[in-house]
Amino acid sequence: MNKDAATPELMNRTIDETAKELLKVAEKEGISTAFQRAAEVKPCPIGRDGMCCKHCFMGPCRITKKTPHGVCGADVATIAARNFGRMVAAGAAAHADHGRDMVLLLLAAARGETEGIEIKDVKKLHAVAGHLGIETEGKTREQIGEEVALRFLEDIGRQKGQPSYISRAPEKRQELWAEKGLTPRGLDREVVEMMHRTHMGVDQDPKSLLHHAMRTSLTDGWGGAMVATDISDILYGTPTPIKAKMSVGLLKEDEVNIVVHGHEPSLSEMMVVASQEPEILDYAKSKGANGINLAGICCTANEVLMRQGVGSAGNFLNQELTILTGAVEAMVVDVQCIMESLADVAGNYHTKLITSSPKAHIPGAIHIEFEEEHAMSVARKVLKTAIDNFPNRKKGTITLPDYVSESIGGFSHEYIKYMQGGTYRGSFRPLNDAIMDGRIQGVVGIVGCNNPRDIQDSEIVNLTREFIRRDILVVTTGCGGIACGKQGLLTPETMEAAGPGLKQVCEAIGISPVLHVGSCVDNSRILTIASDMVAEGGLGDDISELPAVGLCPEWMSEKALAIGTYFAASGVYTIFGVGSPVAGSEEVTRLMSEGWEQEVGGKLEFVADREEVIRRTVEHLTRKRKALGITEYAPGKFGAEKVLMDMTDRRKLEDEQKAKAEAKK
Ligand code: BF8
Ligand code: SF4
């Protein structure tokens, strides 16, 4: 690695102080990280903008001004739309497959074929059965669980008709999807069809391809992701607010540190239970450790954070850095967002990298496969492997950053409803009222990844701060939630940074103006919240009428694109940062923006500039408030004489000052 060029610049690629400290270690030890490689690997500009097709072996065809068509005659719009469609299909497939595994686990649990996993949340099971129209009267939880699982399996493989959960969307939305031919069929069917349509010589109309991208994405939001969320709640409990520590500083020098990473909750939930067993704790002591410290990375972290209060060592770009502490006995990974480099980084330390999914193997890792019928035994085996590794820790190689933040996670949609009135009077009325009278100007979802092409956490955190200051409630998921948590934004004290109206609401309930609603599959909880707000009344008849915007400022994964697409197709204005994967085609860019807005009321845009993101978001909220006839957008005006300055005001002031200075010259 090029030491001269490396450190100072790389340190500026994150706002996470612990990451800065560990990047120094990487530099000193000559260990490559994603931060370093992002500086070295230049993206191909043609591929980045969606202008390269390799769907057949007459190509790959790179579209340029000189060569505007591929060998088959495909133009840049078809190619960009096809590439986009495949990315959405891959993202939807990841969530559908995650959902499928949860369904199979529920089925096994209902049939008594699991070890240590059973139906825990009967209330949620009944609620889900209710959505599916499954009769619960006089049936055991196992009988209901089996019926629920079998229905979901039908939905996944459904050839005709629609997946059951489509009926959870507002009626007007369902009618619109039906009218536009966007109602999806089975989860698998739409993904397979996208692969077919984008094969050489099939669908060649960008509009039609993008339609199918929407249809496919809907099987994610109102299918795979929603099913994954619900079954995780049924098996492991519906989240309620819970304290958890965040940042790599939560690792302990004197304990066995085990980091769970990936997306599935199943093995990690069992590890939480097993790590509290006296025999396991004694075993850890016998190896010289004072205890077992579980921590998470990425969305497996969010799953066990939401339900068990297990702390998060960080988000996507913290995964390699966590191993660089030299204090991790084992990193246990399942599926998605796991960097292949982990094996190399771990190779420099005593850390054991353990893969647990039959779908995800990494050369250099130990494979201990998760099997539902032996779930607890597998969890104990993994823990013992980590404990056995504790004595191998090299004392001189440990760097534990001295920083950790407190967070509160666990804001399931059920809890958000409950906190607004209790068990019997829980409803979205108070939130809707606060939006209508202007205490809250709107709701913004800030979700998604880190991307080393951007400064880690910077957009997520700064946008969050900017919006709460303007009386806009922020809900967050995935790596976005962890970014906020690391910066201490997930505690009630953050209300001090909120505008006066939002602060008043947060004070009344005792919450932060930034609510962590879970992992990336839990974006489905945001769909449910939006549908509940519509059902509550006063804010229109459809999701597209709500003063709400979805943001994914540091995206990198195909799942993020699937999520962005289903938000847009559900009526939400969605803005992604970093850059656009369809930048090469003006037509496709326009279709996804104005085109989709006309058709479905939501749109997907790619805007890298923060101030422009803020401007468009505020403009959208203003427009929606106006259309609803509720108080005009005026952050800070409610119940306060003091008017907060917004970015435009500040810029205006700066311009005036500049003009004055110029005039003086
Ligand atoms: O599913 S936010 S980097 S970890 S893809 Fe991955 Fe992106 Fe993180 Fe969770 Ni979501
Ligand atoms: Fe080229 Fe057409 Fe083949 Fe794509 S499908 S690689 S554009 S010839």
Side-chain angles (χ1 to χ4, degrees):
M1 115 184 198
N2 178 354
K3 283 193 182 179
D4 300 335
T7 317
E9 214 187 295
L10 291 191
M11 303 259 295
N12 294 333
R13 305 302 295 165
T14 178
I15 61 164
D16 176 340
E17 292 299 326
T18 70
K20 289 184 187 191
E21 195 173 335
L22 292 163
L23 278 169
K24 269 192 223 161
V25 174
E27 202 258 340
K28 195 167 132 244
E29 303 295 329
I31 298 171
S32 168
T33 65
F35 289 86
Q36 173 74 24
R37 292 186 298 274
E40 291 165 355
V41 183
K42 297 285 171 229
C44 160
I46 295 176
R48 183 196 56 204
D49 291 356
M51 300 189 292
C52 174
C53 179
K54 49 187 180 72
H55 292 197
C56 86
F57 212 59
M58 292 188 281
C61 299
R62 290 148 48 100
I63 302 303
T64 62
K65 274 202 182 114
K66 266 196 193 159
T67 55
H69 295 99
V71 175
C72 68
D75 68 10
V76 73
T78 305
I79 290 172
R82 276 201 304 228
N83 287 336
F84 179 78
R86 281 207 172 179
M87 290 177 92
V88 168
H95 283 158
D97 213 32
H98 174 170
R100 180 200 327 270
D101 282 344
M102 296 310 300
V103 173
L104 292 172
L105 194 59
L106 173 63
L107 189 62
R111 289 177 175 169
E113 295 162 357
T114 45
E115 184 198 14
I117 302 172
E118 52 190 43
I119 294 169
K120 187 171 174 184
D121 191 335
V122 178
K123 196 172 164 200
K124 179 85 183 209
L125 177 69
H126 280 228
V128 168
H131 291 310
L132 300 175
I134 290 172
E135 185 56 62
T136 54
E137 195 68 29
K139 290 181 191 162
T140 63
R141 68 174 74 177
E142 286 73 24
Q143 284 168 328
I144 302 167
E146 185 170 11
E147 277 188 56
V148 164
L150 291 173
R151 171 69 64 77
F152 282 142
L153 284 181
E154 249 177 62
D155 281 344
I156 291 168
R158 192 175 295 289
Q159 301 305 319
K160 281 189 173 165
Q162 61 186 51
S164 313
Y165 270 4
I166 289 296
S167 64
R168 289 180 60 174
E171 231 161 77
K172 205 169 159 191
R173 183 73 3 201
Q174 293 179 52
E175 284 164 16
L176 184 74
W177 287 334
E179 185 198 315
K180 304 281 177 193
L182 290 172
T183 312
R185 296 153 298 185
L187 279 54
D188 286 347
R189 177 163 185 184
E190 304 305 0
V191 172
V192 169
E193 189 172 310
M194 178 59 89
M195 297 309 285
H196 179 192
R197 280 176 185 245
T198 53
H199 182 276
M200 190 267 147
V202 187
D203 199 352
Q204 298 161 25
D205 176 354
K207 192 171 169 191
S208 159
L209 283 159
L210 292 175
H211 256 207
H212 193 64
M214 283 200 274
R215 197 179 292 118
T216 304
S217 75
L218 291 173
T219 67
D220 178 348
W222 303 87
M226 203 171 268
V227 170
T229 293
D230 280 356
I231 298 184
S232 301
D233 286 355
I234 290 171
L235 293 176
Y236 307 118
T238 302
T240 55
I242 190 160
K243 272 194 197 162
K245 295 195 185 321
M246 286 215 195
S247 127
V248 72
L250 61 75
L251 297 183
K252 294 192 178 142
E253 186 128 26
D254 59 343
E255 295 191 11
V256 178
N257 291 308
I258 305 170
V259 179
V260 290
H261 171 23
H263 285 76
E264 292 175 346
S266 305
L267 177 56
S268 47
E269 280 281 343
M270 291 303 100
M271 285 169 64
V272 174
V273 178
S275 68
Q276 290 155 8
E277 291 176 344
E279 309 85 76
I280 293 281
L281 287 167
D282 285 347
Y283 190 62
K285 287 208 175 99
S286 78
K287 299 285 173 179
N290 280 340
I292 297 170
N293 185 29
L294 276 188
I297 294 268
C298 282
C299 284
T300 297
N302 283 321
E303 296 284 350
V304 282
L305 183 148
M306 291 283 283
R307 298 190 181 86
Q308 309 292 349
V310 170
S312 166
N315 48 3
F316 180 66
L317 280 176
N318 291 105
Q319 57 184 291
E320 295 166 308
L321 307 182
T322 300
I323 297 179
L324 285 163
T325 58
V328 177
E329 274 56 60
M331 183 174 274
V332 189
V333 303
D334 47 71
V335 290
Q336 302 165 19
C337 304
I338 297 149
M339 289 195 199
E340 191 169 328
S341 59
L342 291 182
D344 285 341
V345 180
N348 289 283
Y349 295 88
H350 75 303
T351 307
K352 291 208 186 308
L353 181 67
I354 301 174
T355 49
S356 62
S357 164
K359 294 169 202 167
H361 295 260
I362 303 176
I366 306 170
H367 190 71
I368 305 179
E369 199 156 301
F370 175 74
E371 292 158 348
E372 61 221 23
E373 62 276 33
H374 308 118
M376 278 303 281
S377 310
V378 172
R380 288 188 196 110
K381 186 174 171 188
V382 169
L383 290 172
K384 283 192 174 156
T385 307
I387 294 167
D388 284 337
N389 199 23
F390 183 75
N392 298 330
R393 215 190 259 186
K394 296 178 196 127
K395 287 283 182 286
T397 63
I398 292 174
T399 312
L400 278 180
D402 185 20
Y403 169 80
V404 69
S405 70
E406 293 292 340
S407 292
I408 298 180
F411 288 91
S412 57
H413 52 270
E414 286 87 349
Y415 186 81
I416 293 178
K417 195 167 178 178
Y418 167 82
M419 78 188 185
Q420 301 179 74
T423 308
Y424 300 107
R425 290 191 304 123
S427 82
F428 276 82
R429 195 69 260 153
L431 177 61
N432 282 19
D433 284 346
I435 291 174
M436 288 164 73
D437 67 25
R439 270 170 299 165
I440 295 178
Q441 295 293 325
V443 183
V444 167
I446 300 186
V447 309
C449 325
N450 287 147
N451 187 324
R453 305 258 169 236
D454 221 321
I455 297 170
Q456 185 194 14
D457 299 343
S458 172
E459 296 312 302
I460 294 165
V461 167
N462 283 303
L463 285 167
T464 301
R465 290 211 169 100
E466 195 60 45
F467 288 126
I468 59 171
R469 195 175 67 76
R470 291 159 183 262
D471 286 326
I472 295 164
L473 179 71
V474 172
V475 291
T476 180
T477 60
C479 289
I482 300 174
C484 291
K486 285 189 293 179
Q487 299 293 330
L489 291 172
L490 301 179
T491 58
E493 288 72 48
T494 305
M495 68 174 76
E496 296 305 327
L502 178 57
K503 187 179 166 194
Q504 201 186 81
V505 174
C506 292
E507 259 169 1
I509 311 176
I511 51 163
S512 166
V514 187
L515 300 179
H516 187 11
V517 301
S519 62
C520 281
V521 293
D522 291 336
N523 281 313
S524 64
R525 297 193 201 271
I526 299 180
L527 293 179
T528 306
I529 292 167
S531 305
D532 281 2
M533 286 168 73
V534 169
E536 191 62 53
L539 294 174
D541 300 327
D542 194 359
I543 295 173
S544 58
E545 294 180 56
L546 296 172
V549 173
L551 304 176
C552 188
E554 298 178 32
W555 77 281
M556 66 86 198
S557 89
E558 293 171 315
K559 286 178 291 166
L561 284 185
I563 293 164
T565 306
Y566 75 61
F567 268 112
S570 302
V572 180
Y573 179 19
T574 308
I575 309 176
F576 273 44
V578 191
S580 164
V582 296
S585 168
E586 271 173 37
E587 184 184 346
V588 170
T589 304
R590 194 169 26 78
L591 280 170
M592 285 162 61
S593 174
E594 293 125 63
W596 282 3
E597 186 166 41
Q598 272 170 21
E599 276 192 286
V600 295
K603 55 183 167 176
L604 178 56
E605 291 177 349
F606 296 87
V607 183
D609 179 67
R610 191 188 306 161
E611 295 204 4
E612 183 59 15
V613 172
I614 295 168
R615 192 192 67 73
R616 290 192 199 191
T617 302
V618 165
E619 193 209 36
H620 187 78
L621 298 182
T622 310
R623 193 148 62 87
K624 292 295 168 187
R625 294 188 69 88
K626 216 173 191 176
L628 287 167
I630 56 181
T631 58
E632 269 182 39
Y633 178 84
K637 294 260 169 70
F638 188 90
E641 281 139 36
K642 189 177 66 166
V643 178
L644 286 181
M645 244 193 197
D646 66 17
M647 199 74 98
T648 328
D649 294 335
R650 257 192 279 152
R651 237 190 270 153
K652 214 171 128 198
L653 192 72
E654 275 168 21
D655 288 348
E656 280 169 13
Q657 282 167 344
K658 256 191 226 156
K660 269 187 203 159
E662 284 293 318
K664 270 189 191 164
K665 275 185 194 166

